[in-house]
Amino acid sequence: MRTFKIGYIVGSTSAHSINRKLAIAISRLAQPHFEFVEIPLCELPVYNRDHDADYPQPGNHLKAAIESVDAVLIVTPEYNRGIPGALKNALDFASRPWGTNSFAGKPVAIAGASGGPIGTAVAQFQLRGTLGFLDAIVMGQPEAYIQLTETSIDETTGEPSESLAGFLRGYVATFEAFVAKNAEKPDDEYQESSAA
Ligand code: FNR
């Protein structure tokens, strides 16, 4: 069975991020042949196109990490009814230098958690627009606008409550099917199908 590598990006740089806890909860519900690795944002400077000719190393690392995975899962908070600056900065880094957009053709799913009742819906709406412009293949449903309470994810074990786990199981099952359908095929599969 093919193994799929998933890079998850947390749109928060907080060491206590509830969105990282959500990303980890999602990853734990996935089948073993979906391997999750975090693509970190913390080292990135503020994007500046003047540096495109000599791209900052953290920018190169981000691009290589995105390009090395079969799909990306972005789990983000909403800041002031928008995409957090750190996440938008990372998307800008990934999109450049011109002609090397790392998101082109990449399957991407998004989710987000906040304490508020709309659970990051506005940030995710903006994010869909940016990812569409970047030519990513974005999972449409289910949307994951998650309002977390203190009991949603266990502080010690990281386990989601039964009601949150119930929703996440469906989300993960759809995500797995989406990745299997949209991930780029390995070279040997191309050779097999062209030989057939
Ligand atoms: C917030 N928060 C927030 N929540 C929300 O639902 N909509 C919003 O627009 C905002 N705006 C906002 C701005 C800023 C600068 C901060 C720091 C926070 C609250 C936010 O959901 C909460 O702090 C989450 O815990 C942030 O996610 P992480 O960092 O814990 O993953």
Side-chain angles (χ1 to χ4, degrees), residues 21 38 86 90 104 106 126 134 148 169 174 187:
K21 288 177 183 153
E38 181 165 0
K106 188 69 63 180
Q126 293 177 5
L134 293 182
L148 286 187
R169 277 189 208 103
T174 307
D187 288 346

Side-chain angles (χ1 to χ4, degrees), residues 76-79 81-85 87-88 91 122-123 126-127 130:
T76 186
E78 175 176 283
Y79 277 2
R81 294 285 181 261
I83 303 175
L87 176 59
K88 182 60 167 55
L91 298 176
V122 180
Q126 293 177 5
L127 188 52
T130 300

Side-chain angles (χ1 to χ4, degrees), residues 60-85:
N60 287 327
H61 288 152
L62 175 82
K63 289 176 70 65
I66 293 169
E67 287 163 23
S68 73
V69 294
D70 294 301
V72 173
L73 171 68
I74 299 178
V75 186
T76 186
E78 175 176 283
Y79 277 2
N80 300 316
R81 294 285 181 261
I83 303 175

Side-chain angles (χ1 to χ4, degrees), residues 10-14 16-20 75-82 113-120:
V10 178
S12 167
T13 53
S14 165
H16 312 288
S17 169
I18 58 173
N19 282 280
R20 178 169 295 99
V75 186
T76 186
E78 175 176 283
Y79 277 2
N80 300 316
R81 294 285 181 261
S114 76
I118 63 166
T120 76

Side-chain angles (χ1 to χ4, degrees), residues 28-165:
R28 286 184 183 168
L29 290 169
Q31 296 181 73
H33 61 289
F34 290 82
E35 292 175 356
F36 286 71
V37 58
E38 181 165 0
I39 299 178
L41 311 181
C42 295
E43 304 292 315
L44 290 169
V46 174
Y47 174 80
N48 179 342
R49 72 180 175 84
D50 297 349
H51 299 147
D52 278 8
D54 183 17
Y55 225 44
Q57 267 315 94
N60 287 327
H61 288 152
L62 175 82
K63 289 176 70 65
I66 293 169
E67 287 163 23
S68 73
V69 294
D70 294 301
V72 173
L73 171 68
I74 299 178
V75 186
T76 186
E78 175 176 283
Y79 277 2
N80 300 316
R81 294 285 181 261
I83 303 175
L87 176 59
K88 182 60 167 55
N89 186 52
L91 298 176
D92 293 339
F93 260 110
S95 72
R96 295 286 166 135
W98 174 251
T100 71
N101 167 22
S102 303
F103 273 106
K106 188 69 63 180
V108 180
I110 62 181
S114 76
I118 63 166
T120 76
V122 180
Q124 290 193 49
F125 182 75
Q126 293 177 5
L127 188 52
R128 280 180 192 277
T130 300
L131 290 168
F133 181 73
L134 293 182
D135 239 354
I137 304 167
V138 184
M139 186 169 91
Q141 297 285 341
E143 297 168 303
Y145 305 133
I146 295 172
Q147 182 179 19
L148 286 187
T149 65
E150 276 179 11
T151 55
S152 299
I153 296 183
D154 187 281
E155 199 57 47
T156 319
T157 64
E159 288 301 318
S161 66
E162 206 30 62
S163 68
L164 178 58

